[in-house]
PDB file of all heavy atoms in Angstrom:
ATOM      1  N   LYS A 122      15.672 -13.152   7.922  1.00  0.00           N
ATOM      2  CA  LYS A 122      16.780 -13.982   7.744  1.00  0.00           C
ATOM      3  C   LYS A 122      17.979 -13.465   8.393  1.00  0.00           C
ATOM      4  O   LYS A 122      18.854 -14.204   8.963  1.00  0.00           O
ATOM      5  CB  LYS A 122      16.964 -14.178   6.286  1.00  0.00           C
ATOM      6  CG  LYS A 122      15.886 -14.981   5.552  1.00  0.00           C
ATOM      7  CD  LYS A 122      16.074 -14.973   4.059  1.00  0.00           C
ATOM      8  CE  LYS A 122      14.944 -15.585   3.252  1.00  0.00           C
ATOM      9  NZ  LYS A 122      15.105 -15.536   1.782  1.00  0.00           N
ATOM     10  N   THR A 123      18.274 -12.222   8.192  1.00  0.00           N
ATOM     11  CA  THR A 123      19.487 -11.444   8.702  1.00  0.00           C
ATOM     12  C   THR A 123      19.655 -11.646  10.201  1.00  0.00           C
ATOM     13  O   THR A 123      20.786 -11.930  10.681  1.00  0.00           O
ATOM     14  CB  THR A 123      19.508 -10.088   8.195  1.00  0.00           C
ATOM     15  OG1 THR A 123      19.557  -9.922   6.806  1.00  0.00           O
ATOM     16  CG2 THR A 123      20.819  -9.399   8.729  1.00  0.00           C
ATOM     17  N   TYR A 124      18.568 -11.441  10.902  1.00  0.00           N
ATOM     18  CA  TYR A 124      18.543 -11.397  12.364  1.00  0.00           C
ATOM     19  C   TYR A 124      18.047 -12.688  12.976  1.00  0.00           C
ATOM     20  O   TYR A 124      17.895 -12.806  14.175  1.00  0.00           O
ATOM     21  CB  TYR A 124      17.777 -10.239  12.856  1.00  0.00           C
ATOM     22  CG  TYR A 124      18.450  -8.872  12.427  1.00  0.00           C
ATOM     23  CD1 TYR A 124      17.783  -8.110  11.499  1.00  0.00           C
ATOM     24  CD2 TYR A 124      19.713  -8.423  12.885  1.00  0.00           C
ATOM     25  CE1 TYR A 124      18.424  -6.884  11.021  1.00  0.00           C
ATOM     26  CE2 TYR A 124      20.242  -7.284  12.437  1.00  0.00           C
ATOM     27  CZ  TYR A 124      19.617  -6.500  11.525  1.00  0.00           C
ATOM     28  OH  TYR A 124      20.185  -5.378  11.127  1.00  0.00           O
ATOM     29  N   ASN A 125      17.764 -13.706  12.059  1.00  0.00           N
ATOM     30  CA  ASN A 125      17.302 -15.041  12.555  1.00  0.00           C
ATOM     31  C   ASN A 125      16.137 -14.916  13.414  1.00  0.00           C
ATOM     32  O   ASN A 125      16.046 -15.503  14.538  1.00  0.00           O
ATOM     33  CB  ASN A 125      18.486 -15.735  13.193  1.00  0.00           C
ATOM     34  CG  ASN A 125      18.152 -17.253  13.419  1.00  0.00           C
ATOM     35  OD1 ASN A 125      17.419 -17.828  12.559  1.00  0.00           O
ATOM     36  ND2 ASN A 125      18.761 -17.851  14.376  1.00  0.00           N
ATOM     37  N   LEU A 126      15.104 -14.052  13.101  1.00  0.00           N
ATOM     38  CA  LEU A 126      14.010 -13.797  13.862  1.00  0.00           C
ATOM     39  C   LEU A 126      12.900 -14.873  14.009  1.00  0.00           C
ATOM     40  O   LEU A 126      12.776 -15.651  12.949  1.00  0.00           O
ATOM     41  CB  LEU A 126      13.314 -12.425  13.497  1.00  0.00           C
ATOM     42  CG  LEU A 126      14.221 -11.200  13.519  1.00  0.00           C
ATOM     43  CD1 LEU A 126      13.495  -9.993  12.947  1.00  0.00           C
ATOM     44  CD2 LEU A 126      14.528 -10.921  15.002  1.00  0.00           C
ATOM     45  N   ASN A 127      12.304 -15.047  15.111  1.00  0.00           N
ATOM     46  CA  ASN A 127      11.383 -16.117  15.359  1.00  0.00           C
ATOM     47  C   ASN A 127      10.074 -15.850  14.532  1.00  0.00           C
ATOM     48  O   ASN A 127       9.282 -15.074  15.043  1.00  0.00           O
ATOM     49  CB  ASN A 127      11.190 -16.295  16.858  1.00  0.00           C
ATOM     50  CG  ASN A 127      10.418 -17.605  17.142  1.00  0.00           C
ATOM     51  OD1 ASN A 127       9.315 -17.870  16.564  1.00  0.00           O
ATOM     52  ND2 ASN A 127      10.949 -18.333  18.131  1.00  0.00           N
ATOM     53  N   THR A 128       9.852 -16.664  13.542  1.00  0.00           N
ATOM     54  CA  THR A 128       8.712 -16.345  12.646  1.00  0.00           C
ATOM     55  C   THR A 128       7.319 -16.823  13.368  1.00  0.00           C
ATOM     56  O   THR A 128       6.330 -16.339  13.092  1.00  0.00           O
ATOM     57  CB  THR A 128       8.721 -17.062  11.286  1.00  0.00           C
ATOM     58  OG1 THR A 128       9.029 -18.384  11.455  1.00  0.00           O
ATOM     59  CG2 THR A 128       9.891 -16.368  10.536  1.00  0.00           C
ATOM     60  N   THR A 129       7.484 -17.879  14.234  1.00  0.00           N
ATOM     61  CA  THR A 129       6.328 -18.350  14.941  1.00  0.00           C
ATOM     62  C   THR A 129       5.799 -17.297  15.967  1.00  0.00           C
ATOM     63  O   THR A 129       4.606 -17.046  15.982  1.00  0.00           O
ATOM     64  CB  THR A 129       6.706 -19.608  15.871  1.00  0.00           C
ATOM     65  OG1 THR A 129       7.262 -20.616  14.963  1.00  0.00           O
ATOM     66  CG2 THR A 129       5.484 -20.122  16.538  1.00  0.00           C
ATOM     67  N   GLU A 130       6.687 -16.571  16.601  1.00  0.00           N
ATOM     68  CA  GLU A 130       6.280 -15.458  17.435  1.00  0.00           C
ATOM     69  C   GLU A 130       5.636 -14.210  16.528  1.00  0.00           C
ATOM     70  O   GLU A 130       4.719 -13.684  16.940  1.00  0.00           O
ATOM     71  CB  GLU A 130       7.510 -14.875  18.212  1.00  0.00           C
ATOM     72  CG  GLU A 130       8.066 -15.793  19.178  1.00  0.00           C
ATOM     73  CD  GLU A 130       9.375 -15.316  19.896  1.00  0.00           C
ATOM     74  OE1 GLU A 130       9.985 -14.264  19.293  1.00  0.00           O
ATOM     75  OE2 GLU A 130       9.728 -15.927  20.818  1.00  0.00           O
ATOM     76  N   LEU A 131       6.276 -14.100  15.415  1.00  0.00           N
ATOM     77  CA  LEU A 131       5.700 -13.016  14.459  1.00  0.00           C
ATOM     78  C   LEU A 131       4.262 -13.357  14.066  1.00  0.00           C
ATOM     79  O   LEU A 131       3.421 -12.474  14.074  1.00  0.00           O
ATOM     80  CB  LEU A 131       6.642 -12.745  13.366  1.00  0.00           C
ATOM     81  CG  LEU A 131       6.352 -11.715  12.287  1.00  0.00           C
ATOM     82  CD1 LEU A 131       6.155 -10.442  13.014  1.00  0.00           C
ATOM     83  CD2 LEU A 131       7.293 -11.672  11.205  1.00  0.00           C
ATOM     84  N   GLU A 132       4.150 -14.593  13.610  1.00  0.00           N
ATOM     85  CA  GLU A 132       2.715 -15.010  13.274  1.00  0.00           C
ATOM     86  C   GLU A 132       1.709 -14.868  14.379  1.00  0.00           C
ATOM     87  O   GLU A 132       0.639 -14.475  14.126  1.00  0.00           O
ATOM     88  CB  GLU A 132       2.798 -16.509  12.909  1.00  0.00           C
ATOM     89  CG  GLU A 132       3.397 -16.740  11.446  1.00  0.00           C
ATOM     90  CD  GLU A 132       3.410 -18.180  10.999  1.00  0.00           C
ATOM     91  OE1 GLU A 132       4.232 -19.009  11.551  1.00  0.00           O
ATOM     92  OE2 GLU A 132       2.459 -18.551  10.264  1.00  0.00           O
ATOM     93  N   ARG A 133       2.081 -15.145  15.629  1.00  0.00           N
ATOM     94  CA  ARG A 133       1.226 -14.961  16.787  1.00  0.00           C
ATOM     95  C   ARG A 133       0.873 -13.447  16.937  1.00  0.00           C
ATOM     96  O   ARG A 133      -0.237 -13.146  17.438  1.00  0.00           O
ATOM     97  CB  ARG A 133       1.937 -15.461  18.071  1.00  0.00           C
ATOM     98  CG  ARG A 133       1.999 -16.943  18.128  1.00  0.00           C
ATOM     99  CD  ARG A 133       2.408 -17.370  19.526  1.00  0.00           C
ATOM    100  NE  ARG A 133       2.850 -18.808  19.505  1.00  0.00           N
ATOM    101  CZ  ARG A 133       3.958 -19.295  19.948  1.00  0.00           C
ATOM    102  NH1 ARG A 133       4.909 -18.497  20.497  1.00  0.00           N
ATOM    103  NH2 ARG A 133       4.231 -20.563  20.023  1.00  0.00           N
TER     104      ARG A 133
END
Side-chain angles (χ1 to χ4, degrees):
K122 297 173 183 175
T123 299
Y124 298 108
N125 195 29
L126 297 174
N127 190 310
T128 55
T129 301
E130 294 174 347
L131 182 57
E132 286 184 280
R133 289 191 191 127

